[in-house]
Amino acid sequence: MARYTGGNNFELVQHLRRSRIIKSDRVFEAMKCVDRGKFTHPSRAYIDSPQVIGYGATISAPHMHAYALELLEDKLHNGARALDVGSGSGYLTVCMALMMGKNGLAVGIEHIPELKATAEENIRQDHANLLRDGRVELVVGDGRLGYPERGPYNAIHVGAAAKEIPQALIDQLAPGGRLIVPLGRENSDQTLVQIDKTLDGKTKQQYLMGVMFVPLTDKERQYRRS
């Protein structure tokens, strides 16, 4: 897929659909309704590459967000619960909330308070009703431990590479739920992994594709990366 480098949010999402990264109408509508220019620097928002958002964090490339939403699409149904680990600027958390309808809940967790504050301000400018109606909740904490207070979750997305799959996140998956997590060390081979929990509580893993993400780490190390 040729990297998209132009335009505006609608053109970007159209490009992802033409490239068959976006396949479902629900993902298309969610990404069309959430302007990336409100969640990262507008001059770089519509380039199909990851962008630095401060404090050692990035917002993933649009095609990676599209892949994640497609992989989670059937879990992000009306009334579902989702956890976005490393929610950053809040972009994907909002997309997930829109896909889960008025009865859903998307929790975004960040261990950098400044990023949480920035995400809240971004959402107030774009889909403020999600905060007001309690459909999006942003919390400060170590995403490797999840957020059991709002679990179990039908969908969990991890936006940074874990050295090993956090057991706490598997524990917080609802039966029938799905976890998407990049796995691997920093500056080495990483793989996007899908973990499904069956209705009887067992798990099965599927290795999807090679990826490159910033590391899922502790707050102090992330501050040092900034």
Side-chain angles (χ1 to χ4, degrees), residues 90-102:
Y91 171 82
L92 193 69
T93 316
V94 170
C95 290
M96 296 167 88
L98 292 177
M99 291 178 66
M100 292 185 293
K102 64 180 182 179

Side-chain angles (χ1 to χ4, degrees), residues 2 14 28 43 53 73 78 99 101 121 125 130 208 219 222:
Q14 286 276 51
F28 178 79
S43 67
I53 58 173
E73 188 264 340
N78 185 42
M99 291 178 66
E121 182 58 30
Q125 296 181 54
L130 296 178
L208 302 173
K219 180 170 63 175
Q222 187 165 333

Side-chain angles (χ1 to χ4, degrees), residues 58-178:
T58 62
I59 180 173
S60 294
H63 72 270
M64 287 308 305
H65 278 154
Y67 274 127
L69 291 172
E70 285 288 341
L71 290 166
L72 295 170
E73 188 264 340
D74 63 331
K75 311 301 179 183
L76 298 171
H77 53 77
N78 185 42
R81 291 188 171 224
L83 178 66
D84 187 17
V85 175
S87 48
S89 66
Y91 171 82
L92 193 69
T93 316
V94 170
C95 290
M96 296 167 88
L98 292 177
M99 291 178 66
M100 292 185 293
K102 64 180 182 179
N103 297 313
L105 171 65
V107 177
I109 185 167
E110 261 295 342
H111 52 202
I112 306 294
E114 294 90 341
L115 284 175
K116 172 183 177 285
T118 297
E120 286 180 337
E121 182 58 30
N122 293 339
I123 299 171
R124 288 190 196 101
Q125 296 181 54
D126 195 70
H127 297 287
N129 63 300
L130 296 178
L131 290 172
R132 185 175 61 249
D133 297 343
R135 292 168 57 188
V136 164
E137 182 176 339
L138 301 177
V139 298
V140 174
D142 188 337
R144 296 171 296 183
L145 304 178
Y147 192 67
E149 291 87 339
R150 294 298 194 187
Y153 300 99
N154 306 97
I156 300 178
H157 169 265
V158 182
K163 293 180 182 178
E164 56 188 28
I165 298 168
Q167 183 61 44
L169 299 183
I170 295 176
D171 293 343
Q172 290 168 42
L173 266 184
R178 177 171 295 163

